[in-house]
Amino acid sequence: MDGGRAKGKDQGVVDGVAAMAHCYQEFNPKAYLQYNYTPPRADFSRADSIVPWKLGCLHRAFTEGDVGGETLVDVGSGPTLYQVLSGCELFGRVVLTDFLDVNRRELRRWLREEEGSFDWTPYLKHVCKLEGRSPSAWQEKATRLRSVVTEILPIDVHQPLPLPLGALPTPGADCLVSSFCLESVSPDLASFTRALGHMSGLLKPGGHLLLIGALGESYYMAGPGVRIPVVPLDEAQVCTSLRENGYALIHLSTYTLPPDMRVGVDDVSGIFFVKAKKM
Ligand SMILES: C[S@@+](CC[C@H](N)C(=O)[O-])C[C@H]1O[C@@H](n2cnc3c(N)ncnc32)[C@H](O)[C@@H]1O
């Protein structure tokens, strides 16, 4: 009887995760970039635009003097690079990862300077400014990023070992960054917490996690007609999941979307930024 119940629960978990994987088959990198990484959400003339807020948080977290080492891993990179523009100055090896080949190909296109890749120039210029450099140094930053990204690997945060065996040195990466991944690939809160645990296996004890995610979001559009369900989170749930996975919270910042950032591609109400240390 009990065994049957346990089996039923395990099957439910497998089905929920498989349903999420199915939703992602239609993910459209170009549309996703257009929806989230162009104005008004990426308006560098406005401090209250989403992307400048995220870049400011990342810049601060990476320059407080406590984060460093050899290897930085970005979990669930998608087709985006903004999340490693500050970190690429501190680490000699940056590993990008995504579940989908279309996203890994999109990243590769930029790294190889191929035609049709997304234009990250305004992002590079903005982060140069945050670093006190001239915006004209953006090409140096682009060169730096291209030189330190050593791999773009497949990943599945629902597997106890999310990356191919031997991909990282033991005891793990020095730092993890992950943005809008866990809550948008998990069927429920329990699965989110479990995925955070799997991901944490990639980080060495004492290493840092920089986690960015959506608050109060139940879906987002990943292309025309491609609606992806999201676990609606609040700050307390994020903190509990971190604690359950052995993290000490260093700081948590939140951002509330101004009305004109609600552009009809999701129902997100806010964003959290966490800096935490694996104990
Ligand atoms: C909302 S996007 C976030 C992309 C990017 N990090 C950003 O900040 O915009 C979620 C990403 O998670 C990836 N993903 C889907 N299922 C996954 C899984 N099981 N494990 C890891 N990543 C997954 C998707 O391919 C997608 O790129």
Side-chain angles (χ1 to χ4, degrees):
M1 197 69 170
D2 280 341
R5 237 194 340 256
K7 210 167 174 187
K9 190 173 164 231
D10 289 351
Q11 193 54 50
V13 171
V14 171
D15 290 349
V17 164
M20 288 304 304
H22 183 72
C23 290
Y24 271 94
Q25 294 319 304
E26 299 300 315
F27 188 98
N28 178 331
K30 298 272 187 231
Y32 179 77
L33 287 164
Q34 175 66 32
Y35 297 162
N36 294 290
Y37 295 102
T38 62
R41 291 188 165 190
D43 182 343
F44 295 96
S45 66
R46 285 177 57 175
D48 68 344
S49 173
I50 298 177
V51 167
W53 182 81
K54 288 191 285 185
L55 293 177
C57 289
L58 286 160
H59 168 70
R60 267 191 305 282
F62 276 117
T63 52
E64 284 167 332
D66 52 349
V67 176
E70 176 57 21
T71 308
L72 170 67
V73 177
D74 177 31
V75 174
S77 307
T80 72
L81 287 161
Y82 72 92
Q83 62 277 22
V84 292
L85 296 185
S86 292
C88 74
E89 303 291 343
L90 289 178
F91 294 88
R93 179 183 179 201
V94 175
V95 179
L96 304 177
T97 69
D98 201 71
F99 184 65
L100 296 176
D101 188 45
V102 277
N103 284 334
R104 298 194 298 270
R105 280 207 306 267
E106 187 66 38
L107 294 171
R108 236 171 255 126
R109 236 192 304 280
W110 185 86
L111 290 174
R112 293 176 182 163
E113 300 186 61
E114 288 171 11
E115 207 154 304
S117 66
F118 189 74
D119 183 11
W120 294 104
T121 310
Y123 289 70
L124 291 156
K125 287 183 177 170
H126 186 80
V127 179
C128 283
K129 269 205 256 178
L130 292 175
E131 290 170 356
R133 298 155 74 179
S134 157
S136 63
W138 71 270
Q139 276 161 318
E140 286 164 29
K141 185 176 271 300
T143 304
R144 166 83 193 172
L145 181 58
R146 288 188 171 107
S147 73
V148 293
V149 172
T150 52
E151 295 115 305
I152 305 175
L153 298 176
I155 191 163
D156 184 353
V157 292
H158 298 306
Q159 300 302 319
L161 297 175
L163 284 179
L165 218 56
L168 296 179
T170 39
D174 300 288
C175 182
L176 298 182
V177 59
S178 184
S179 50
F180 303 99
C181 177
L182 299 182
E183 70 280 11
S184 56
V185 308
S186 300
D188 51 35
L189 182 59
S191 175
F192 169 90
T193 303
R194 212 166 22 246
L196 178 61
H198 297 158
M199 183 174 114
S200 302
L202 304 174
L203 183 62
K204 72 174 192 190
H208 287 87
L209 168 67
L210 307 181
L211 187 67
I212 304 178
L215 291 170
E217 187 177 49
S218 71
Y219 78 94
Y220 77 97
M221 302 306 291
V226 186
R227 188 183 166 103
I228 300 201
V230 179
V231 185
L233 295 173
D234 61 32
E235 290 99 310
Q237 289 166 329
V238 175
C239 292
T240 303
S241 294
L242 288 165
R243 211 170 32 246
E244 283 177 15
N245 279 296
Y247 283 98
L249 184 65
I250 299 173
H251 54 71
L252 173 118
S253 316
T254 57
Y255 165 95
T256 303
L257 262 76
D260 65 336
M261 296 287 153
R262 301 172 196 237
V263 290
V265 297
D266 52 43
D267 64 349
V268 66
S269 60
I271 298 173
F272 67 85
F273 180 90
V274 158
K275 182 176 188 179
K277 188 171 179 156
K278 181 172 167 179
M279 301 315 286

